[in-house]
Amino acid sequence: MKFRICGDLEAPDWVLAEVAVVSEMSQKDVLILTKTVIDIFLSDKNKSAGDCDSPQDVLALLEARKFAVKSKSDTMATVALLRYIVTHSVKYQVDDTIVIKELEQIGLKTSHCNAIIGPFRLHRPQIQQALISRSLHLSQISKGEPPSWRLNYTLSTKALPNVNSASVFLNIPIKNVTVGAKEKPNNLGRSSNNKDLSFAISGQKLKALVHELRSAREVMRKFDDL
């Protein structure tokens, strides 16, 4: 079954697994966790979209809010699930009513869905703005260092004897420059404000990415000819 909050794809296995954990929590605990996830996500808009929440920050904030952490691993897994729900719902512009409906379909109680949607609805504009500010822009790509890539081809694994799947690991040097700040080279001769954006992508998704980039380039060329 496909869900809009998952980008019109099936829900990842880890999401379905964590739903069972969240279902065992009280509505109050889900509400506190959701507020915590949103507060931490909005606390630093200069962080990149791929940055993960620091366990120390999350647990410290929960402790300050008198939240009883029974299992650190379960709590952080729940935080990851709630962050996924919140950010993907905004990313794919899913209406609140549809978010609730789809969360119920993947196994969450109505009371838990309402605990999530309350803070989410209140902070949706700020979350959307934060996602926009963290998206990768052409001006951020470092011109002095070309992107690097590596091709991985998996023949088989212990769990799956016949995989035969190709994937590409991309590494894009980007500039993470704060407005008004001057770039300072480090002892490697590289700007200390630079960082790498690294991710793995399947062969099928890579083809789609290349197609979209070529389409975008053609659109940009049309504007250059005006």
Side-chain angles (χ1 to χ4, degrees), residues 46-92:
N46 289 322
K47 287 167 62 179
S48 68
D51 286 346
C52 298
D53 296 324
S54 165
Q56 292 78 9
D57 293 343
V58 174
L59 296 174
L61 187 53
L62 288 174
E63 183 179 355
R65 295 179 175 181
K66 309 300 181 183
F67 181 88
V69 177
K70 298 178 181 179
S71 168
K72 291 183 179 180
S73 59
D74 284 349
T75 299
M76 292 308 302
T78 302
V79 165
L81 172 64
L82 293 173
R83 181 182 173 117
Y84 178 92
I85 293 171
V86 167
T87 57
H88 280 65
S89 297
V90 173
K91 177 181 178 181
Y92 296 115

Side-chain angles (χ1 to χ4, degrees), residues 111-159:
S111 58
H112 289 48
C113 295
N114 291 331
I116 294 172
I117 208 67
F120 168 69
R121 182 185 292 119
L122 181 64
H123 295 284
R124 178 189 277 267
Q126 295 96 312
I127 297 171
Q128 183 176 26
Q129 187 57 45
L131 286 173
I132 292 173
S133 66
R134 298 177 193 187
S135 62
L136 180 63
H137 302 279
L138 286 176
S139 58
Q140 291 179 288
I141 298 178
S142 178
K143 296 180 180 179
E145 300 177 66
S148 58
W149 59 274
R150 183 182 73 243
L151 174 65
N152 295 330
Y153 193 87
T154 305
L155 297 175
S156 64
T157 66
K158 182 178 180 181

Side-chain angles (χ1 to χ4, degrees), residues 2-204:
K2 297 180 179 180
F3 301 92
R4 288 192 58 190
I5 60 174
C6 299
D8 289 322
L9 298 173
E10 294 182 357
D13 290 340
W14 73 268
V15 168
L16 298 176
E18 292 309 321
V19 164
V21 177
V22 175
S23 298
E24 298 298 321
M25 296 181 174
S26 68
Q27 181 180 358
K28 180 181 178 181
D29 285 349
V30 174
L31 178 61
I32 294 174
L33 281 171
T34 304
K35 288 182 176 179
T36 302
V37 167
I38 293 175
D39 288 345
I40 292 179
F41 182 77
L42 297 177
S43 63
D44 185 359
K45 294 184 179 180
N46 289 322
K47 287 167 62 179
S48 68
D51 286 346
C52 298
D53 296 324
S54 165
Q56 292 78 9
D57 293 343
V58 174
L59 296 174
L61 187 53
L62 288 174
E63 183 179 355
R65 295 179 175 181
K66 309 300 181 183
F67 181 88
V69 177
K70 298 178 181 179
S71 168
K72 291 183 179 180
S73 59
D74 284 349
T75 299
M76 292 308 302
T78 302
V79 165
L81 172 64
L82 293 173
R83 181 182 173 117
Y84 178 92
I85 293 171
V86 167
T87 57
H88 280 65
S89 297
V90 173
K91 177 181 178 181
Y92 296 115
Q93 300 179 343
V94 186
D95 185 75
D96 295 350
T97 56
I98 296 178
V99 174
I100 294 176
K101 180 180 178 180
E102 293 193 344
L103 291 180
E104 290 177 337
Q105 289 175 338
I106 63 177
L108 279 179
K109 303 174 184 177
T110 302
S111 58
H112 289 48
C113 295
N114 291 331
I116 294 172
I117 208 67
F120 168 69
R121 182 185 292 119
L122 181 64
H123 295 284
R124 178 189 277 267
Q126 295 96 312
I127 297 171
Q128 183 176 26
Q129 187 57 45
L131 286 173
I132 292 173
S133 66
R134 298 177 193 187
S135 62
L136 180 63
H137 302 279
L138 286 176
S139 58
Q140 291 179 288
I141 298 178
S142 178
K143 296 180 180 179
E145 300 177 66
S148 58
W149 59 274
R150 183 182 73 243
L151 174 65
N152 295 330
Y153 193 87
T154 305
L155 297 175
S156 64
T157 66
K158 182 178 180 181
L160 299 171
N162 297 308
V163 179
N164 294 323
S165 175
S167 62
V168 177
F169 182 84
L170 295 175
N171 186 75
I172 304 175
I174 63 172
K175 295 183 293 184
N176 188 30
V177 181
T178 305
V179 177
K182 294 182 179 180
E183 293 191 12
K184 297 180 180 180
N186 55 24
N187 51 6
L188 296 177
R190 182 181 176 187
S191 170
S192 58
N193 290 322
N194 282 12
K195 59 189 297 186
D196 293 340
L197 174 65
S198 303
F199 57 94
I201 187 170
S202 67
Q204 184 177 5

